[in-house]
Amino acid sequence: METLVNNISIEKSSSSKIGSVDFDNLPFGSIYTDHMLVCEYVDGDWERPKIKPYANLSLDPASKIFHYGQSIFEGMKAYKDEDGQAWLFRPEDNHARLNISASRMAMPELPKEYFMEGLTALLQLEKDWIPTTEGSSLYIRPFMFASGVGFHASPADRYTFLICLAPSGPYFGGKVKVLIEEKFARAANGGVGYAKAGGNYAAQFYPTKLAVEKGYQQVIWTDDNTHEFIEEAGAMNIFVRINDTLLTAPTNDRILDGITRKSILELAKAEGIQTEVRKVKVSEVVDAAQNGSLKELFGAGTAAVVSPIAGFGYQGKDYELPELENSFAKRLKKRITDIQYNKVEDPFGWRFKV
Amino acid sequence: METLVNNISIEKSSSSKIGSVDFDNLPFGSIYTDHMLVCEYVDGDWERPKIKPYANLSLDPASKIFHYGQSIFEGMKAYKDEDGQAWLFRPEDNHARLNISASRMAMPELPKEYFMEGLTALLQLEKDWIPTTEGSSLYIRPFMFASGVGFHASPADRYTFLICLAPSGPYFGGKVKVLIEEKFARAANGGVGYAKAGGNYAAQFYPTKLAVEKGYQQVIWTDDNTHEFIEEAGAMNIFVRINDTLLTAPTNDRILDGITRKSILELAKAEGIQTEVRKVKVSEVVDAAQNGSLKELFGAGTAAVVSPIAGFGYQGKDYELPELENSFAKRLKKRITDIQYNKVEDPFGWRFKV
Ligand SMILES: Cc1ncc(COP(=O)(O)O)c(C=O)c1O
Ligand SMILES: Cc1ncc(COP(=O)(O)O)c(C=O)c1O
């Protein structure tokens, strides 16, 4: 059966998997809802998006996605409030960033109305999949890849954009210990680190595996040239609290311009917390850890929201962070999730009604 | 119908497309043969490779290849001699490099016998597809990607390895002009540039597009930190001839260890050409172009073999290279292709009989 909503054709699945899902014990990103949005770029133009039953994709083995990593993605969440109303958080910023990534990867930009209307129509259809358990949400994965074929190392002539949904629990369980990287790097100067390009993530797996083998959960990325400056925490932006000042690195072409990062910065200012956006030296963090002025380290990103770091390793030594009464991480996490779940006023206009 | 060769099951296609192919006007890498090799990594182990009719792949949209760029590939060629015998060139080195790439991308290594036996069985089956026109060959594309699913940024638990074949003409047509890159970079220190990882190639598309818009065909990559050193030419290694010395950059973690590059180095030595493997400054190349000591620039790689560069742009100025009588590029290209096509003795033991 096919219906039309917002000019988007909807082919409904004949049955739902929702009854088989344990919403009280959700993993992160590995259960998918009944439908997905699909939009094809053919002959220099995007076709209208369609909503279809979630199903396998059929692709020529010569599709460039398999060979040249021409792919980008976004990560978002839908939240349900106590009245059962669904909300998004700054979704237009995800659309804008998708197109920044697209441009760097020589892929076509996606029209805003296809993104916003497609997303809204899909979420309205899958509303029952948004979890309501504390700490859970519906993770949203918009992504685009080269479906055009050829073994010539050049951009494809066809692309596919999809949105899939995964009801998800927390990204990390337990305390997070991190390793400050001294050898590997995630991004080059003049490279694609500021794009949410698929290949950036696979490149992190091996160094992260080595860190995990040493007992850490994540890598703190430093600049590839000197390894003297702190840049990101795994796939999150990083915040450093020294005494009562909150520091984070300025974005550049190696660092993803995180929506959580910029929201946290605004929230901190509104809370009267002193913030500084400037390059942060590893040595400064180590010194602060040694003299007791390092109060907190935390990652910030959509998946993990705010992820407090319990300790870090650097040059073979381990440093522990104190457990604080008045943690900025806790306070800011509560501020941002209260807005996301529509528990408080939203003076910034960040919430978006589905 | 299924048969077994070298323990590899072969399912033959019911008909062949070969009759529809114009072997005198072959494009590069966009016509595929009737069969492909497929090998699946499941539950921590590789299943035996299978040969099947070339057909679309069916993949869950949550497969990590679409999201995290976990993919690697190789590029090889099969050559046919005048007696109709098929040959490969140093195929074991491609296998070794595939596994170096796999390790860096946190992917499972492929057993050598699966690679070699699978490749041989596939080529024996597709022997008639190896072109015999001058400058043509059967391009071979082994590749591996993450077929396991999940929106967690971590290595997949399933992988697929394939080999596809494409009868191909020359990679470049006409003269190649290049632009020495001053802003963008293809690889980070401590990154994945030395791996044949998919994402490295997509990252080059946009800077290359900008160069093409300015009238160049390829970008000469420089180090991402200073842009003072010449590293690669598009997806080729680069050679610089100053007076009668042939220079090329040493491999490092930003540069692919090309099989053509190392073969050219050995052939040059055997020809009595003086070679130097050392860092090559952009300023040195520009100075040499100005004072007339820059005789040749050429790229070296499987796809384009040896690709003479007619001129380059740098800091808004264009430099032309002379047309030489006794070009090293021409001489070395002839030496290597004579070995590849079994026209001369192979004192190095590089040729491999299919
Ligand atoms: C490398 C990297 N840094 C930071 C972030 C955080 O960005 P956002 O807050 O928009 O989710 C992400 C994405 O989640 C990321 O992939
Ligand atoms: C980045 C890069 N450099 C150099 C080469 C040349 O390597 P090879 O001679 O093994 O084909 C390739 C592959 O073709 C490549 O992708």
Side-chain angles (χ1 to χ4, degrees):
Chain A
M1 195 196 67
E2 207 166 305
T3 55
L4 219 66
V5 176
N6 286 346
N7 263 322
I8 291 170
S9 85
I10 300 181
E11 184 198 331
K12 279 207 184 152
S13 79
S14 51
S15 64
S16 175
K17 297 167 288 190
I18 199 166
S20 67
V21 175
D22 176 3
F23 277 87
D24 291 327
N25 291 291
L26 289 169
F28 188 91
S30 55
I31 294 169
Y32 312 105
T33 69
D34 295 322
H35 300 89
M36 61 189 189
L37 182 102
V38 185
C39 190
E40 302 278 356
Y41 182 87
V42 187
D43 294 334
D45 227 336
W46 287 101
E47 296 176 354
R48 286 208 66 82
K50 288 184 184 151
I51 291 173
K52 298 180 181 180
Y54 187 93
N56 272 15
L57 308 173
S58 174
L59 285 164
D60 193 307
S63 296
K64 294 199 180 191
I65 176 62
F66 299 121
H67 305 273
Y68 304 125
Q70 211 185 2
S71 69
I72 55 174
F73 68 101
E74 275 300 322
M76 313 167 65
K77 284 178 173 175
Y79 312 89
K80 205 179 251 182
D81 69 18
E82 289 187 349
D83 300 331
Q85 172 62 46
W87 300 93
L88 291 166
F89 186 71
R90 311 184 79 171
E92 299 183 349
D93 292 4
N94 291 95
H95 172 261
R97 191 171 63 188
L98 181 82
N99 280 349
I100 289 171
S101 300
S103 163
R104 181 60 181 87
M105 304 312 285
M107 299 168 80
E109 295 188 6
L110 185 78
K112 184 167 170 184
E113 63 275 19
Y114 284 11
F115 185 88
M116 293 304 295
E117 286 165 19
L119 183 60
T120 311
L122 182 64
L123 285 170
Q124 281 165 355
L125 183 65
E126 303 289 62
K127 213 177 60 192
D128 294 344
W129 284 90
I130 307 176
T132 49
T133 352
E134 170 85 41
S136 295
S137 57
L138 186 69
Y139 185 75
I140 303 169
R141 174 51 61 85
F143 62 110
M144 190 198 294
F145 63 85
S147 38
V149 302
F151 295 156
H152 209 283
S154 55
D157 60 357
R158 287 187 69 130
Y159 296 87
T160 305
F161 171 76
L162 292 106
I163 303 178
C164 296
L165 307 175
S168 294
Y171 194 85
F172 290 112
K175 286 195 176 175
V176 177
K177 268 180 66 191
V178 297
L179 181 67
I180 299 182
E181 187 58 59
E182 296 166 55
K183 182 180 165 209
F184 294 105
R186 75 174 282 282
N189 300 300
V192 299
Y194 71 97
K196 247 177 122 68
N200 289 340
Y201 296 82
Q204 302 187 42
F205 292 169
Y206 176 69
T208 305
K209 191 169 81 172
L210 295 182
V212 167
E213 283 164 14
K214 291 185 193 147
Y216 306 94
Q217 279 78 51
Q218 280 291 337
V219 165
I220 299 291
W221 297 106
T222 48
D223 67 294
D224 81 310
N225 179 25
T226 66
H227 296 290
E228 281 178 23
F229 296 95
I230 284 199
E231 305 211 311
E232 296 214 55
M236 296 181 287
N237 295 110
I238 183 160
F239 285 87
V240 180
R241 174 179 171 187
I242 294 183
N243 290 321
D244 284 334
T245 304
L246 199 54
L247 308 173
T248 192
T251 54
N252 60 29
D253 64 6
R254 296 185 305 274
I255 296 183
L256 194 84
D257 187 1
I259 294 163
T260 317
R261 172 185 172 280
K262 67 181 181 188
S263 305
I264 290 284
L265 279 173
E266 286 198 60
L267 286 171
K269 279 179 210 158
E271 292 278 297
I273 294 170
Q274 182 160 352
T275 60
E276 280 181 30
V277 177
R278 62 161 172 86
K279 292 174 97 179
V280 181
K281 276 208 158 189
V282 176
S283 60
E284 186 180 353
V285 174
V286 172
D287 288 350
Q290 277 163 343
N291 69 29
S293 60
L294 181 69
K295 303 297 181 198
E296 293 181 71
L297 273 180
F298 57 91
T302 298
V305 198
V306 169
S307 176
I309 293 167
F312 67 91
Y314 181 61
Q315 293 187 336
K317 267 191 75 174
D318 275 321
Y319 300 83
E320 279 199 24
L321 278 108
E323 293 239 19
L324 294 186
E325 277 293 292
N326 69 338
S327 144
F328 285 176
K330 256 187 229 159
R331 196 160 130 206
L332 293 165
K333 180 173 183 178
K334 182 163 167 30
R335 286 289 290 128
I336 197 168
T337 52
D338 277 355
I339 293 176
Q340 288 166 336
Y341 287 90
N342 190 27
K343 291 188 180 169
V344 296
E345 282 301 290
D346 170 19
F348 306 98
W350 289 339
R351 224 159 30 215
F352 180 94
K353 199 170 184 165
V354 175
Chain B
M1 195 196 67
E2 207 166 306
T3 55
L4 219 67
V5 176
N6 287 345
N7 263 322
I8 291 170
S9 86
I10 300 181
E11 184 198 332
K12 278 206 185 154
S13 78
S14 51
S15 65
S16 176
K17 297 167 290 190
I18 199 165
S20 67
V21 175
D22 176 2
F23 277 86
D24 291 328
N25 291 292
L26 289 170
F28 187 91
S30 55
I31 294 168
Y32 313 105
T33 70
D34 295 321
H35 300 89
M36 61 187 188
L37 182 100
V38 185
C39 191
E40 302 279 356
Y41 181 87
V42 187
D43 293 334
D45 226 337
W46 287 102
E47 296 176 354
R48 286 208 66 83
K50 290 183 182 149
I51 291 173
K52 299 180 180 179
Y54 187 94
N56 272 16
L57 307 174
S58 173
L59 285 163
D60 193 307
S63 297
K64 293 200 179 190
I65 175 62
F66 298 121
H67 305 272
Y68 303 125
Q70 211 185 2
S71 69
I72 56 175
F73 68 100
E74 276 299 323
M76 314 168 64
K77 283 178 173 175
Y79 312 89
K80 205 178 252 182
D81 70 17
E82 289 187 348
D83 300 331
Q85 172 62 47
W87 300 92
L88 290 167
F89 186 71
R90 311 184 80 173
E92 300 183 349
D93 293 3
N94 290 97
H95 171 260
R97 191 170 62 187
L98 181 80
N99 281 349
I100 289 170
S101 301
S103 164
R104 181 61 180 87
M105 302 313 284
M107 298 168 82
E109 294 188 5
L110 185 79
K112 186 168 171 182
E113 64 275 19
Y114 285 12
F115 186 89
M116 293 304 294
E117 286 165 19
L119 184 61
T120 312
L122 182 65
L123 285 170
Q124 281 166 355
L125 183 66
E126 303 289 61
K127 215 176 60 191
D128 293 346
W129 284 88
I130 307 177
T132 50
T133 350
E134 170 86 39
S136 296
S137 57
L138 186 67
Y139 184 74
I140 303 170
R141 173 54 60 85
F143 61 111
M144 190 197 296
F145 64 85
S147 37
V149 302
F151 295 156
H152 209 283
S154 54
D157 60 357
R158 288 187 68 131
Y159 296 87
T160 305
F161 172 76
L162 291 106
I163 303 179
C164 296
L165 307 174
S168 295
Y171 194 85
F172 290 112
K175 287 196 177 172
V176 177
K177 267 180 66 191
V178 297
L179 180 67
I180 299 183
E181 187 58 60
E182 297 165 56
K183 181 179 164 208
F184 294 104
R186 75 175 281 282
N189 300 299
V192 299
Y194 72 97
K196 248 177 122 67
N200 289 340
Y201 296 81
Q204 301 187 42
F205 292 169
Y206 176 70
T208 306
K209 191 169 81 171
L210 296 182
V212 167
E213 282 165 12
K214 291 184 192 147
Y216 306 94
Q217 280 76 51
Q218 279 292 339
V219 166
I220 301 289
W221 297 108
T222 48
D223 68 294
D224 80 310
N225 179 25
T226 67
H227 296 289
E228 281 178 20
F229 296 95
I230 283 198
E231 304 213 311
E232 297 213 56
M236 298 181 288
N237 295 110
I238 182 158
F239 285 88
V240 179
R241 174 180 172 187
I242 294 183
N243 292 321
D244 284 335
T245 304
L246 199 54
L247 308 173
T248 192
T251 55
N252 60 29
D253 63 6
R254 295 185 305 272
I255 297 183
L256 195 84
D257 186 1
I259 295 164
T260 317
R261 172 185 172 279
K262 68 182 182 188
S263 305
I264 290 285
L265 279 173
E266 285 198 59
L267 286 170
K269 279 179 209 159
E271 291 279 296
I273 294 171
Q274 181 160 352
T275 60
E276 279 180 32
V277 177
R278 63 162 172 86
K279 291 174 96 178
V280 181
K281 277 208 155 188
V282 176
S283 60
E284 187 181 352
V285 174
V286 172
D287 288 351
Q290 276 163 346
N291 69 29
S293 59
L294 181 69
K295 302 297 180 199
E296 290 180 75
L297 274 180
F298 58 91
T302 298
V305 199
V306 169
S307 176
I309 293 167
F312 67 91
Y314 181 62
Q315 293 187 334
K317 267 191 76 174
D318 274 321
Y319 301 84
E320 279 198 24
L321 277 107
E323 294 239 18
L324 294 186
E325 277 293 294
N326 69 339
S327 146
F328 285 176
K330 258 189 225 156
R331 195 159 131 208
L332 293 165
K333 179 173 184 175
K334 182 164 167 27
R335 286 289 290 127
I336 196 166
T337 52
D338 278 355
I339 293 177
Q340 288 166 336
Y341 287 88
N342 190 28
K343 291 188 178 166
V344 296
E345 282 301 289
D346 170 20
F348 306 96
W350 289 339
R351 223 159 29 215
F352 179 95
K353 199 169 185 165
V354 175

